[in-house]
Amino acid sequence: MTDTKTRILDLAENLTQSKGFNGFSYLDLAAEVGIKTSSIHYHYKSKADLALALVERHREALEAAFKRLDDDVANPADRLESIVTHFKGYIGEEKICMCGMMAAEFESISPAVRKALALYFRDFQNWLAKQFSALGHPNPPAVALQYVSALEGSLLLARLEGDASVVDRSLDGFVNT
Amino acid sequence: MTDTKTRILDLAENLTQSKGFNGFSYLDLAAEVGIKTSSIHYHYKSKADLALALVERHREALEAAFKRLDDDVANPADRLESIVTHFKGYIGEEKICMCGMMAAEFESISPAVRKALALYFRDFQNWLAKQFSALGHPNPPAVALQYVSALEGSLLLARLEGDASVVDRSLDGFVNT
DNA sequence: CTTGATATCTACTGGTATATAGATAGATTG
DNA sequence: CAATCTATCTATATACCAGTAGATATCAAG
């Protein structure tokens, strides 16, 4: 069994992706984990601490995923497809990108979390730029920004329409131009 | 002086764009308008009613803006630029698109508001498709979806970076391809 | 077998949320 | 003038929220 601290984080991640970081309370976490709210405070002193842990773990997970793709998948186009498939999977669970959600909630998060979020998106773009570079794009950083923007926006629309193909259609044309 | 009901809506719109619809309370509105929370309930029976009024007014405003552009601006490319300039203006006020924000908060809004939101984005895409059609794009509806996705996503990133040029760079290439 | 760390609990505080009931002052209308 | 409507108030209900203090249980190390 995974330890409580991790279970809390897993649950908070899920809830953030569906209802937003301000859309759940320590009571929701406690009820689901099966402990009291005060015990959640034991693991994460404040909700701001929880937010930071959430974003930092997420960035590490992203980096690990990139490393795995770099090692296991030879073709950059296939790597991109694999990443998009991952994000598309959120739609079926009525979720969106956790960091996209937090970026929307920008005004109610601490400076530390804002910095962590910005780092997440920069890491994301850097990796994307490498893939586009390998694919021979003339301006990899520019296309990487366009890709992330389109991805994040498409997740909002896809969930609204209940149609994951919105993501594919929004990203169509980035690889084969 | 604008009437109270409108002032409440204006204020709620602003707050939704910066902190999200779940990021403010009737108390915030009351304090700013200078009346009691119970008086806000007089104008908008429940917060869900307020949400619906917000989205519906926003859609009407969007349609009016489109009509004005169609009448006053001859070149479709100039029309697009004008719309983007409008959205870019949000960034300086630490705001994003109101309907984009509500789409992020999808899981906590009523079915009626969800429908109104979907309608907003469909209207937006329909108008965009007309502009791209006039510009000779081979597949206007497809490019309209890509444009909205990129715009919504770019607003999230632009506010995070505190840099409105992120929007321009995310939308670069849509008009002159 | 005692000490100290870990993880949980009970019980509580102070604050905020949305919402409703009932009263009132002033304008409008028949 | 009487009835009604508009917009507000006071007061309250009900529920939730984040966070804290302090007691308790478990267990490993010395």
Side-chain angles (χ1 to χ4, degrees):
Chain A
M1 186 63 154
T2 51
D3 72 336
T4 305
K5 194 163 183 174
T6 308
R7 282 214 293 153
I8 293 168
L9 214 54
D10 290 344
L11 204 56
E13 182 171 294
N14 240 279
L15 284 165
T16 301
Q17 289 184 256
S18 61
K19 315 213 290 184
F21 186 73
N22 297 320
F24 66 91
S25 71
Y26 269 32
L27 193 65
D28 296 318
L29 298 174
E32 187 71 25
V33 174
I35 56 176
K36 301 292 168 180
T37 57
S38 46
S39 304
I40 310 286
H41 278 285
Y42 171 77
H43 294 287
Y44 300 98
K45 199 164 159 42
S46 74
K47 217 184 166 191
D49 290 339
L50 176 62
L52 194 56
L54 223 39
V55 178
E56 290 193 331
R57 187 181 71 162
H58 211 70
R59 195 188 68 233
E60 284 158 20
L62 185 80
E63 270 165 17
F66 287 157
K67 198 169 171 346
R68 241 178 295 122
L69 283 177
D70 288 342
D71 290 348
D72 302 351
V73 182
N75 185 347
D78 292 340
R79 290 180 194 152
L80 289 174
E81 201 205 315
S82 173
I83 281 284
V84 172
T85 300
H86 169 76
F87 279 98
K88 264 197 297 178
Y90 289 153
I91 300 304
E93 301 171 274
E94 310 248 87
K95 300 194 296 191
I96 59 172
C97 167
M98 196 194 76
C99 291
M101 180 67 93
M102 283 205 162
E105 294 174 299
F106 179 76
E107 289 296 316
S108 59
I109 60 177
S110 70
V113 179
R114 290 179 184 191
K115 260 181 207 165
L117 261 188
L119 203 56
Y120 171 91
F121 285 112
R122 258 173 253 145
D123 278 1
F124 201 161
Q125 287 175 62
N126 285 340
W127 182 83
L128 287 172
K130 267 186 254 167
Q131 312 314 312
F132 286 116
S133 176
L135 289 167
H137 267 272
N139 192 346
V143 82
L145 171 63
Q146 294 178 343
Y147 199 83
V148 175
S149 289
L151 172 63
E152 292 296 332
S154 73
L155 289 170
L156 292 177
L157 297 179
R159 185 176 56 169
L160 195 58
E161 299 286 351
D163 177 6
S165 84
V166 165
V167 178
D168 288 319
R169 284 183 277 132
S170 292
L171 295 175
D172 193 40
F174 273 98
V175 175
N176 310 312
T177 347
Chain B
M1 185 60 153
T2 51
D3 72 338
T4 304
K5 194 164 184 172
T6 308
R7 280 214 293 154
I8 293 168
L9 215 52
D10 290 344
L11 205 54
E13 182 171 296
N14 241 279
L15 285 165
T16 300
Q17 289 184 255
S18 61
K19 317 213 287 181
F21 186 73
N22 298 320
F24 67 92
S25 72
Y26 269 32
L27 194 67
D28 296 318
L29 299 174
E32 186 71 26
V33 175
I35 56 178
K36 300 293 167 178
T37 57
S38 45
S39 304
I40 311 285
H41 279 284
Y42 171 79
H43 295 287
Y44 301 98
K45 198 164 161 41
S46 75
K47 217 184 166 191
D49 290 340
L50 176 63
L52 193 56
L54 222 39
V55 179
E56 290 192 331
R57 187 181 71 164
H58 212 68
R59 195 187 68 233
E60 284 159 21
L62 185 80
E63 270 163 18
F66 287 157
K67 199 171 171 343
R68 241 178 296 123
L69 283 177
D70 288 343
D71 291 347
D72 301 351
V73 182
N75 185 347
D78 292 341
R79 290 179 193 153
L80 289 173
E81 200 204 315
S82 173
I83 281 285
V84 171
T85 299
H86 170 75
F87 279 97
K88 263 196 299 179
Y90 290 153
I91 300 303
E93 300 171 277
E94 308 249 270
K95 299 194 296 190
I96 60 171
C97 167
M98 195 195 74
C99 291
M101 181 66 94
M102 283 204 163
E105 293 174 302
F106 179 78
E107 290 296 316
S108 60
I109 59 176
S110 71
V113 179
R114 290 178 184 192
K115 259 180 208 165
L117 261 189
L119 204 56
Y120 170 92
F121 284 113
R122 258 173 253 145
D123 277 2
F124 201 160
Q125 287 175 63
N126 285 340
W127 182 82
L128 287 172
K130 268 187 253 168
Q131 312 314 311
F132 286 116
S133 176
L135 288 167
H137 266 272
N139 192 345
V143 81
L145 170 63
Q146 294 177 344
Y147 199 83
V148 176
S149 289
L151 172 62
E152 292 295 333
S154 74
L155 288 170
L156 293 178
L157 297 179
R159 186 176 56 169
L160 193 60
E161 299 286 350
D163 177 6
S165 84
V166 165
V167 178
D168 288 319
R169 285 183 276 132
S170 292
L171 295 174
D172 193 40
F174 274 99
V175 174
N176 311 312
T177 346

mmCIF file of all heavy atoms in Angstrom, chain A residues 64 98 145 163 176:
data_model
loop_
_atom_site.group_PDB
_atom_site.id
_atom_site.type_symbol
_atom_site.label_atom_id
_atom_site.label_comp_id
_atom_site.label_asym_id
_atom_site.label_seq_id
_atom_site.Cartn_x
_atom_site.Cartn_y
_atom_site.Cartn_z
ATOM 1 N N ALA A 64 10.750 12.899 -15.759
ATOM 2 C CA ALA A 64 10.979 11.454 -15.826
ATOM 3 C C ALA A 64 10.335 10.868 -17.081
ATOM 4 O O ALA A 64 10.919 10.013 -17.755
ATOM 5 C CB ALA A 64 10.419 10.787 -14.577
ATOM 6 N N MET A 98 -2.968 19.498 -14.881
ATOM 7 C CA MET A 98 -2.948 20.068 -13.538
ATOM 8 C C MET A 98 -2.319 21.449 -13.509
ATOM 9 O O MET A 98 -2.804 22.363 -12.826
ATOM 10 C CB MET A 98 -2.213 19.163 -12.566
ATOM 11 C CG MET A 98 -2.506 19.533 -11.124
ATOM 12 S SD MET A 98 -1.367 18.786 -9.961
ATOM 13 C CE MET A 98 0.097 19.801 -10.204
ATOM 14 N N LEU A 145 6.390 26.788 -28.035
ATOM 15 C CA LEU A 145 5.421 27.654 -27.347
ATOM 16 C C LEU A 145 4.032 27.493 -27.953
ATOM 17 O O LEU A 145 3.030 27.355 -27.238
ATOM 18 C CB LEU A 145 5.853 29.119 -27.433
ATOM 19 C CG LEU A 145 4.815 30.141 -26.945
ATOM 20 C CD1 LEU A 145 4.518 29.957 -25.462
ATOM 21 C CD2 LEU A 145 5.269 31.566 -27.212
ATOM 22 N N ASP A 163 -15.147 15.699 -25.878
ATOM 23 C CA ASP A 163 -14.629 15.096 -27.101
ATOM 24 C C ASP A 163 -13.113 15.258 -27.187
ATOM 25 O O ASP A 163 -12.608 16.336 -27.496
ATOM 26 C CB ASP A 163 -15.315 15.768 -28.303
ATOM 27 C CG ASP A 163 -14.794 15.259 -29.633
ATOM 28 O OD1 ASP A 163 -13.986 14.309 -29.654
ATOM 29 O OD2 ASP A 163 -15.204 15.827 -30.665
ATOM 30 N N ASN A 176 3.717 17.497 -39.278
ATOM 31 C CA ASN A 176 3.954 17.429 -40.730
ATOM 32 C C ASN A 176 3.581 18.731 -41.429
ATOM 33 O O ASN A 176 2.469 18.890 -41.894
ATOM 34 C CB ASN A 176 3.127 16.295 -41.339
ATOM 35 C CG ASN A 176 3.319 15.015 -40.566
ATOM 36 O OD1 ASN A 176 4.442 14.620 -40.267
ATOM 37 N ND2 ASN A 176 2.218 14.367 -40.212
#
